[in-house]
Amino acid sequence: VLLVIVVVLGGGLVAAGSVADDAGGVIPGGGDGLGSPVEVAPGVSVPVASGWTREEPPSGIAARFTRGSAILDVFVLPGAATEADLYLSYVNQVLLAGATSLQAGEPQQVQLDAGTPAARGGYLGTFQGVAVPIEGELTAVLTSDGRGVVFDGWAGQGQLAPVLEEIRAMVDGSAVS
């Protein structure tokens, strides 16, 4: 399963430079900038920010949302003991597997809007087959039935900051049960 995730992540990183806005697939937002929640897996729904497009995700990814070259991937994985453990597992088993270099921050405890505990941290790395360094932010959450959900918002270095607030709004507004 982890090998599939690594291959999918690598393929997504390669495609990052070619992702463009697709007006036909843009999900309209509400007055707060977030649209109606979209169910991406049983018990996991994400409100989509205005201007973001839901795309068919590569195998192994529950959902993919894009805006320009920025991507928010949602993974549903086997759970872990804590949110921080899930975060570190994703960094060590998925990101490091495809990276030629990686700097990942220690997970910080946060809460989603509904009060759900989560672990969040940033990363910067170079990945095999990708011409530009990638920066991203991970948020790891555990579901009530023991699954892990990892939100991986990423873009080329210097391109994440303009959309990070929107990514956080989508992640923080997600319902995970």
Side-chain angles (χ1 to χ4, degrees), residues 39-98:
E39 185 174 52
V40 300
V44 181
S45 61
V46 178
V48 183
S50 180
W52 283 76
T53 303
R54 183 173 185 183
E55 295 193 356
E56 185 65 33
S59 178
I61 300 176
R64 171 169 281 177
F65 302 96
T66 64
R67 180 170 184 185
S69 63
I71 295 175
L72 173 61
D73 284 330
V74 182
F75 293 85
V76 179
L77 306 167
T82 68
E83 294 82 12
D85 290 340
L86 177 62
Y87 171 97
L88 293 171
S89 176
Y90 183 87
V91 167
N92 292 326
Q93 296 178 9
V94 176
L95 292 182
L96 273 174

Short mmCIF file of all heavy atoms in Angstrom, two decimals, residues 39-98:
data_model
loop_
_atom_site.label_atom_id
_atom_site.label_comp_id
_atom_site.label_asym_id
_atom_site.label_seq_id
_atom_site.Cartn_x
_atom_site.Cartn_y
_atom_site.Cartn_z
N GLU A 39 -18.02 14.84 0.00
CA GLU A 39 -17.56 13.62 0.66
C GLU A 39 -16.46 12.99 -0.17
O GLU A 39 -16.63 12.74 -1.36
CB GLU A 39 -18.72 12.63 0.84
CG GLU A 39 -18.28 11.40 1.65
CD GLU A 39 -19.42 10.45 1.97
OE1 GLU A 39 -20.14 10.06 1.04
OE2 GLU A 39 -19.56 10.13 3.15
N VAL A 40 -15.30 12.77 0.45
CA VAL A 40 -14.15 12.21 -0.26
C VAL A 40 -13.90 10.76 0.14
O VAL A 40 -13.17 10.05 -0.55
CB VAL A 40 -12.89 13.07 -0.06
CG1 VAL A 40 -13.12 14.47 -0.60
CG2 VAL A 40 -12.46 13.12 1.39
N ALA A 41 -14.46 10.35 1.26
CA ALA A 41 -14.38 8.97 1.76
C ALA A 41 -15.47 8.85 2.81
O ALA A 41 -15.95 9.87 3.33
CB ALA A 41 -13.01 8.69 2.36
N PRO A 42 -15.89 7.65 3.15
CA PRO A 42 -16.91 7.51 4.20
C PRO A 42 -16.47 8.22 5.48
O PRO A 42 -15.38 7.98 6.00
CB PRO A 42 -17.01 6.00 4.40
CG PRO A 42 -16.59 5.43 3.09
CD PRO A 42 -15.51 6.35 2.57
N GLY A 43 -17.30 9.14 5.94
CA GLY A 43 -17.01 9.87 7.17
C GLY A 43 -16.03 11.02 7.02
O GLY A 43 -15.63 11.63 8.01
N VAL A 44 -15.61 11.34 5.78
CA VAL A 44 -14.66 12.42 5.56
C VAL A 44 -15.20 13.33 4.45
O VAL A 44 -15.37 12.89 3.32
CB VAL A 44 -13.27 11.89 5.14
CG1 VAL A 44 -12.29 13.04 4.92
CG2 VAL A 44 -12.73 10.90 6.16
N SER A 45 -15.48 14.59 4.79
CA SER A 45 -15.94 15.54 3.79
C SER A 45 -15.15 16.84 3.91
O SER A 45 -14.73 17.22 5.00
CB SER A 45 -17.44 15.80 3.91
OG SER A 45 -17.74 16.34 5.17
N VAL A 46 -14.95 17.48 2.76
CA VAL A 46 -14.11 18.67 2.67
C VAL A 46 -14.92 19.79 2.02
O VAL A 46 -15.44 19.61 0.92
CB VAL A 46 -12.85 18.39 1.82
CG1 VAL A 46 -11.99 19.64 1.69
CG2 VAL A 46 -12.04 17.23 2.41
N PRO A 47 -15.00 20.97 2.67
CA PRO A 47 -15.62 22.11 1.99
C PRO A 47 -14.58 22.70 1.03
O PRO A 47 -13.43 22.89 1.40
CB PRO A 47 -15.92 23.08 3.14
CG PRO A 47 -14.86 22.78 4.15
CD PRO A 47 -14.56 21.30 4.02
N VAL A 48 -14.99 22.94 -0.20
CA VAL A 48 -14.03 23.36 -1.22
C VAL A 48 -14.07 24.88 -1.40
O VAL A 48 -15.14 25.46 -1.60
CB VAL A 48 -14.33 22.65 -2.55
CG1 VAL A 48 -13.30 23.02 -3.60
CG2 VAL A 48 -14.36 21.14 -2.35
N ALA A 49 -12.90 25.50 -1.31
CA ALA A 49 -12.81 26.96 -1.46
C ALA A 49 -13.14 27.36 -2.89
O ALA A 49 -12.89 26.62 -3.85
CB ALA A 49 -11.40 27.43 -1.09
N SER A 50 -13.70 28.54 -3.03
CA SER A 50 -14.03 29.09 -4.33
C SER A 50 -12.79 29.12 -5.21
O SER A 50 -11.72 29.54 -4.77
CB SER A 50 -14.59 30.51 -4.14
OG SER A 50 -14.92 31.06 -5.38
N GLY A 51 -12.94 28.67 -6.45
CA GLY A 51 -11.83 28.67 -7.39
C GLY A 51 -11.03 27.39 -7.42
O GLY A 51 -10.17 27.22 -8.27
N TRP A 52 -11.28 26.50 -6.48
CA TRP A 52 -10.57 25.22 -6.46
C TRP A 52 -11.34 24.20 -7.30
O TRP A 52 -12.57 24.21 -7.31
CB TRP A 52 -10.40 24.72 -5.03
CG TRP A 52 -9.31 25.46 -4.31
CD1 TRP A 52 -9.38 26.72 -3.81
CD2 TRP A 52 -7.99 25.00 -4.07
NE1 TRP A 52 -8.19 27.07 -3.25
CE2 TRP A 52 -7.31 26.02 -3.39
CE3 TRP A 52 -7.31 23.80 -4.34
CZ2 TRP A 52 -5.98 25.90 -3.00
CZ3 TRP A 52 -6.00 23.69 -3.94
CH2 TRP A 52 -5.34 24.72 -3.27
N THR A 53 -10.63 23.31 -7.96
CA THR A 53 -11.20 22.31 -8.83
C THR A 53 -10.98 20.93 -8.22
O THR A 53 -9.88 20.62 -7.78
CB THR A 53 -10.51 22.34 -10.22
OG1 THR A 53 -10.64 23.64 -10.75
CG2 THR A 53 -11.14 21.34 -11.16
N ARG A 54 -12.04 20.12 -8.22
CA ARG A 54 -11.86 18.73 -7.80
C ARG A 54 -11.49 17.94 -9.05
O ARG A 54 -12.16 18.02 -10.07
CB ARG A 54 -13.14 18.15 -7.19
CG ARG A 54 -12.90 16.73 -6.70
CD ARG A 54 -14.06 16.17 -5.94
NE ARG A 54 -13.68 14.85 -5.41
CZ ARG A 54 -14.49 14.07 -4.76
NH1 ARG A 54 -15.73 14.47 -4.50
NH2 ARG A 54 -14.08 12.91 -4.32
N GLU A 55 -10.39 17.22 -8.96
CA GLU A 55 -9.92 16.42 -10.08
C GLU A 55 -9.96 14.95 -9.72
O GLU A 55 -9.98 14.58 -8.55
CB GLU A 55 -8.50 16.84 -10.44
CG GLU A 55 -8.42 18.25 -10.95
CD GLU A 55 -7.09 18.56 -11.61
OE1 GLU A 55 -6.20 17.70 -11.62
OE2 GLU A 55 -6.97 19.68 -12.13
N GLU A 56 -9.94 14.14 -10.74
CA GLU A 56 -9.85 12.69 -10.53
C GLU A 56 -8.47 12.41 -9.94
O GLU A 56 -7.45 12.72 -10.55
CB GLU A 56 -10.01 11.95 -11.87
CG GLU A 56 -10.06 10.45 -11.72
CD GLU A 56 -11.28 9.96 -10.96
OE1 GLU A 56 -12.35 10.59 -11.05
OE2 GLU A 56 -11.15 8.94 -10.25
N PRO A 57 -8.43 11.85 -8.73
CA PRO A 57 -7.12 11.64 -8.10
C PRO A 57 -6.43 10.40 -8.65
O PRO A 57 -7.08 9.45 -9.10
CB PRO A 57 -7.48 11.44 -6.62
CG PRO A 57 -8.84 10.83 -6.66
CD PRO A 57 -9.53 11.46 -7.85
N PRO A 58 -5.10 10.40 -8.61
CA PRO A 58 -4.38 9.18 -8.94
C PRO A 58 -4.73 8.08 -7.94
O PRO A 58 -5.22 8.36 -6.83
CB PRO A 58 -2.91 9.58 -8.79
CG PRO A 58 -2.91 11.07 -8.91
CD PRO A 58 -4.22 11.52 -8.33
N SER A 59 -4.50 6.86 -8.31
CA SER A 59 -4.79 5.73 -7.43
C SER A 59 -4.09 5.90 -6.09
O SER A 59 -2.93 6.31 -6.03
CB SER A 59 -4.31 4.44 -8.11
OG SER A 59 -4.52 3.34 -7.28
N GLY A 60 -4.80 5.59 -5.02
CA GLY A 60 -4.24 5.68 -3.67
C GLY A 60 -4.54 6.98 -2.95
O GLY A 60 -4.28 7.11 -1.77
N ILE A 61 -5.07 7.95 -3.68
CA ILE A 61 -5.43 9.24 -3.08
C ILE A 61 -6.94 9.31 -3.05
O ILE A 61 -7.60 9.05 -4.05
CB ILE A 61 -4.85 10.42 -3.89
CG1 ILE A 61 -3.32 10.33 -3.93
CG2 ILE A 61 -5.29 11.76 -3.29
CD1 ILE A 61 -2.67 11.41 -4.78
N ALA A 62 -7.52 9.65 -1.89
CA ALA A 62 -8.98 9.70 -1.77
C ALA A 62 -9.57 10.86 -2.57
O ALA A 62 -10.63 10.73 -3.15
CB ALA A 62 -9.39 9.81 -0.30
N ALA A 63 -8.87 12.01 -2.58
CA ALA A 63 -9.38 13.17 -3.30
C ALA A 63 -8.23 14.10 -3.64
O ALA A 63 -7.22 14.16 -2.92
CB ALA A 63 -10.42 13.92 -2.48
N ARG A 64 -8.40 14.85 -4.73
CA ARG A 64 -7.42 15.87 -5.13
C ARG A 64 -8.18 17.12 -5.55
O ARG A 64 -9.13 17.06 -6.33
CB ARG A 64 -6.56 15.38 -6.28
CG ARG A 64 -5.68 16.50 -6.86
CD ARG A 64 -4.65 15.99 -7.81
NE ARG A 64 -3.56 15.43 -7.00
CZ ARG A 64 -2.50 14.83 -7.53
NH1 ARG A 64 -2.39 14.69 -8.82
NH2 ARG A 64 -1.54 14.37 -6.74
N PHE A 65 -7.74 18.25 -4.98
CA PHE A 65 -8.29 19.56 -5.33
C PHE A 65 -7.13 20.41 -5.81
O PHE A 65 -6.04 20.36 -5.23
CB PHE A 65 -8.95 20.20 -4.10
CG PHE A 65 -10.05 19.35 -3.51
CD1 PHE A 65 -9.80 18.51 -2.44
CD2 PHE A 65 -11.33 19.37 -4.04
CE1 PHE A 65 -10.81 17.72 -1.89
CE2 PHE A 65 -12.34 18.58 -3.51
CZ PHE A 65 -12.08 17.76 -2.43
N THR A 66 -7.35 21.20 -6.86
CA THR A 66 -6.27 22.02 -7.40
C THR A 66 -6.73 23.45 -7.63
O THR A 66 -7.91 23.73 -7.83
CB THR A 66 -5.76 21.46 -8.75
OG1 THR A 66 -6.81 21.53 -9.72
CG2 THR A 66 -5.27 20.04 -8.62
N ARG A 67 -5.75 24.32 -7.60
CA ARG A 67 -5.94 25.71 -8.00
C ARG A 67 -4.61 26.15 -8.58
O ARG A 67 -3.63 26.32 -7.84
CB ARG A 67 -6.33 26.59 -6.83
CG ARG A 67 -6.52 28.04 -7.28
CD ARG A 67 -7.12 28.87 -6.21
NE ARG A 67 -7.35 30.21 -6.77
CZ ARG A 67 -7.78 31.21 -6.08
NH1 ARG A 67 -8.06 31.05 -4.80
NH2 ARG A 67 -7.94 32.37 -6.65
N GLY A 68 -4.56 26.31 -9.90
CA GLY A 68 -3.29 26.59 -10.55
C GLY A 68 -2.35 25.42 -10.30
O GLY A 68 -2.70 24.26 -10.52
N SER A 69 -1.16 25.72 -9.80
CA SER A 69 -0.19 24.65 -9.53
C SER A 69 -0.25 24.16 -8.09
O SER A 69 0.53 23.30 -7.70
CB SER A 69 1.23 25.12 -9.87
OG SER A 69 1.58 26.21 -9.04
N ALA A 70 -1.16 24.70 -7.29
CA ALA A 70 -1.31 24.25 -5.90
C ALA A 70 -2.25 23.05 -5.85
O ALA A 70 -3.24 22.99 -6.58
CB ALA A 70 -1.86 25.37 -5.03
N ILE A 71 -1.93 22.11 -4.99
CA ILE A 71 -2.70 20.87 -4.88
C ILE A 71 -2.97 20.56 -3.41
O ILE A 71 -2.10 20.73 -2.56
CB ILE A 71 -1.93 19.70 -5.53
CG1 ILE A 71 -1.79 19.95 -7.04
CG2 ILE A 71 -2.62 18.37 -5.26
CD1 ILE A 71 -0.96 18.93 -7.77
N LEU A 72 -4.18 20.10 -3.14
CA LEU A 72 -4.53 19.54 -1.84
C LEU A 72 -4.94 18.09 -2.09
O LEU A 72 -5.95 17.83 -2.74
CB LEU A 72 -5.67 20.30 -1.16
CG LEU A 72 -6.20 19.66 0.14
CD1 LEU A 72 -5.09 19.58 1.21
CD2 LEU A 72 -7.39 20.43 0.67
N ASP A 73 -4.11 17.16 -1.61
CA ASP A 73 -4.42 15.75 -1.69
C ASP A 73 -4.94 15.28 -0.34
O ASP A 73 -4.43 15.72 0.71
CB ASP A 73 -3.18 14.92 -2.05
CG ASP A 73 -2.80 15.03 -3.52
OD1 ASP A 73 -3.69 15.22 -4.36
OD2 ASP A 73 -1.60 14.92 -3.83
N VAL A 74 -5.92 14.40 -0.37
CA VAL A 74 -6.47 13.83 0.86
C VAL A 74 -6.25 12.32 0.80
O VAL A 74 -6.69 11.66 -0.14
CB VAL A 74 -7.98 14.13 1.00
CG1 VAL A 74 -8.51 13.58 2.32
CG2 VAL A 74 -8.25 15.63 0.89
N PHE A 75 -5.54 11.81 1.79
CA PHE A 75 -5.25 10.38 1.89
C PHE A 75 -6.03 9.80 3.06
O PHE A 75 -6.10 10.42 4.12
CB PHE A 75 -3.76 10.15 2.16
CG PHE A 75 -2.85 10.53 1.04
CD1 PHE A 75 -2.40 11.84 0.91
CD2 PHE A 75 -2.43 9.59 0.12
CE1 PHE A 75 -1.56 12.21 -0.13
CE2 PHE A 75 -1.58 9.95 -0.92
CZ PHE A 75 -1.14 11.26 -1.04
N VAL A 76 -6.58 8.61 2.90
CA VAL A 76 -7.18 7.86 4.00
C VAL A 76 -6.31 6.63 4.16
O VAL A 76 -6.17 5.81 3.25
CB VAL A 76 -8.65 7.51 3.72
CG1 VAL A 76 -9.22 6.71 4.88
CG2 VAL A 76 -9.47 8.77 3.49
N LEU A 77 -5.70 6.51 5.34
CA LEU A 77 -4.68 5.49 5.59
C LEU A 77 -5.00 4.72 6.87
O LEU A 77 -5.85 5.15 7.65
CB LEU A 77 -3.32 6.18 5.76
CG LEU A 77 -2.88 7.11 4.62
CD1 LEU A 77 -1.69 7.95 5.05
CD2 LEU A 77 -2.55 6.29 3.40
N PRO A 78 -4.28 3.63 7.10
CA PRO A 78 -4.43 2.98 8.41
C PRO A 78 -4.07 3.98 9.51
O PRO A 78 -3.19 4.83 9.32
CB PRO A 78 -3.41 1.83 8.35
CG PRO A 78 -3.19 1.59 6.89
CD PRO A 78 -3.36 2.92 6.22
N GLY A 79 -4.75 3.89 10.61
CA GLY A 79 -4.56 4.82 11.71
C GLY A 79 -3.24 4.62 12.43
O GLY A 79 -2.41 3.78 12.08
N ALA A 80 -3.03 5.40 13.45
CA ALA A 80 -1.84 5.36 14.29
C ALA A 80 -2.28 5.63 15.72
O ALA A 80 -3.46 5.90 15.97
CB ALA A 80 -0.84 6.41 13.81
N ALA A 81 -1.34 5.58 16.63
CA ALA A 81 -1.68 5.80 18.04
C ALA A 81 -2.13 7.23 18.30
O ALA A 81 -3.06 7.46 19.07
CB ALA A 81 -0.49 5.44 18.93
N THR A 82 -1.47 8.19 17.65
CA THR A 82 -1.81 9.60 17.83
C THR A 82 -1.75 10.31 16.48
O THR A 82 -1.20 9.78 15.51
CB THR A 82 -0.83 10.32 18.78
OG1 THR A 82 0.46 10.39 18.14
CG2 THR A 82 -0.72 9.60 20.13
N GLU A 83 -2.26 11.52 16.44
CA GLU A 83 -2.20 12.32 15.22
C GLU A 83 -0.74 12.61 14.85
O GLU A 83 -0.37 12.57 13.69
CB GLU A 83 -2.96 13.65 15.40
CG GLU A 83 -4.45 13.50 15.59
CD GLU A 83 -4.87 13.18 17.03
OE1 GLU A 83 -4.04 13.27 17.96
OE2 GLU A 83 -6.04 12.84 17.21
N ALA A 84 0.09 12.89 15.87
CA ALA A 84 1.51 13.16 15.61
C ALA A 84 2.19 11.92 15.04
O ALA A 84 3.04 12.03 14.14
CB ALA A 84 2.20 13.61 16.90
N ASP A 85 1.84 10.73 15.53
CA ASP A 85 2.41 9.50 14.99
C ASP A 85 2.01 9.31 13.52
O ASP A 85 2.83 8.88 12.70
CB ASP A 85 1.94 8.27 15.79
CG ASP A 85 2.55 8.21 17.18
OD1 ASP A 85 3.59 8.87 17.43
OD2 ASP A 85 1.96 7.51 18.03
N LEU A 86 0.75 9.62 13.18
CA LEU A 86 0.29 9.53 11.80
C LEU A 86 1.06 10.50 10.92
O LEU A 86 1.53 10.15 9.83
CB LEU A 86 -1.21 9.80 11.72
CG LEU A 86 -1.84 9.79 10.33
CD1 LEU A 86 -1.69 8.43 9.65
CD2 LEU A 86 -3.32 10.19 10.42
N TYR A 87 1.23 11.73 11.38
CA TYR A 87 2.00 12.74 10.66
C TYR A 87 3.42 12.23 10.39
O TYR A 87 3.90 12.27 9.24
CB TYR A 87 2.02 14.02 11.50
CG TYR A 87 2.95 15.11 11.00
CD1 TYR A 87 2.47 16.14 10.20
CD2 TYR A 87 4.30 15.13 11.34
CE1 TYR A 87 3.30 17.16 9.75
CE2 TYR A 87 5.14 16.13 10.89
CZ TYR A 87 4.65 17.14 10.10
OH TYR A 87 5.48 18.13 9.66
N LEU A 88 4.10 11.77 11.43
CA LEU A 88 5.48 11.30 11.28
C LEU A 88 5.57 10.07 10.39
O LEU A 88 6.52 9.93 9.60
CB LEU A 88 6.10 11.02 12.65
CG LEU A 88 6.31 12.27 13.52
CD1 LEU A 88 6.72 11.88 14.94
CD2 LEU A 88 7.34 13.21 12.89
N SER A 89 4.60 9.19 10.47
CA SER A 89 4.56 8.01 9.61
C SER A 89 4.46 8.42 8.14
O SER A 89 5.15 7.88 7.28
CB SER A 89 3.40 7.11 10.00
OG SER A 89 3.30 6.01 9.13
N TYR A 90 3.59 9.39 7.84
CA TYR A 90 3.44 9.87 6.47
C TYR A 90 4.75 10.50 5.98
O TYR A 90 5.20 10.23 4.86
CB TYR A 90 2.29 10.88 6.40
CG TYR A 90 2.01 11.38 5.00
CD1 TYR A 90 1.16 10.67 4.16
CD2 TYR A 90 2.60 12.53 4.51
CE1 TYR A 90 0.90 11.11 2.86
CE2 TYR A 90 2.36 12.98 3.23
CZ TYR A 90 1.50 12.27 2.41
OH TYR A 90 1.26 12.71 1.13
N VAL A 91 5.37 11.32 6.81
CA VAL A 91 6.65 11.95 6.43
C VAL A 91 7.69 10.87 6.14
O VAL A 91 8.36 10.89 5.10
CB VAL A 91 7.14 12.92 7.52
CG1 VAL A 91 8.60 13.33 7.27
CG2 VAL A 91 6.25 14.15 7.59
N ASN A 92 7.84 9.92 7.06
CA ASN A 92 8.90 8.92 6.95
C ASN A 92 8.65 7.86 5.90
O ASN A 92 9.59 7.38 5.26
CB ASN A 92 9.12 8.25 8.31
CG ASN A 92 9.71 9.22 9.32
OD1 ASN A 92 10.50 10.09 8.97
ND2 ASN A 92 9.31 9.07 10.56
N GLN A 93 7.41 7.47 5.68
CA GLN A 93 7.13 6.37 4.76
C GLN A 93 6.68 6.83 3.38
O GLN A 93 6.83 6.08 2.42
CB GLN A 93 6.09 5.43 5.37
CG GLN A 93 6.58 4.76 6.62
CD GLN A 93 5.54 3.86 7.25
OE1 GLN A 93 4.49 3.60 6.69
NE2 GLN A 93 5.83 3.38 8.44
N VAL A 94 6.15 8.01 3.26
CA VAL A 94 5.66 8.48 1.97
C VAL A 94 6.56 9.57 1.41
O VAL A 94 7.14 9.41 0.33
CB VAL A 94 4.19 8.95 2.06
CG1 VAL A 94 3.72 9.52 0.73
CG2 VAL A 94 3.30 7.82 2.51
N LEU A 95 6.69 10.68 2.13
CA LEU A 95 7.48 11.79 1.59
C LEU A 95 8.95 11.41 1.42
O LEU A 95 9.54 11.64 0.36
CB LEU A 95 7.36 13.02 2.48
CG LEU A 95 5.99 13.71 2.51
CD1 LEU A 95 6.04 14.94 3.40
CD2 LEU A 95 5.51 14.07 1.12
N LEU A 96 9.56 10.84 2.45
CA LEU A 96 10.98 10.49 2.36
C LEU A 96 11.25 9.46 1.28
O LEU A 96 12.33 9.47 0.67
CB LEU A 96 11.49 9.97 3.71
CG LEU A 96 11.98 11.03 4.69
CD1 LEU A 96 12.33 10.42 6.04
CD2 LEU A 96 13.16 11.81 4.12
N ALA A 97 10.30 8.58 1.01
CA ALA A 97 10.50 7.54 0.00
C ALA A 97 10.69 8.13 -1.40
O ALA A 97 11.39 7.55 -2.22
CB ALA A 97 9.33 6.57 0.00
N GLY A 98 10.07 9.29 -1.68
CA GLY A 98 10.20 9.89 -3.01
C GLY A 98 11.12 11.09 -3.05
O GLY A 98 11.31 11.70 -4.09
#
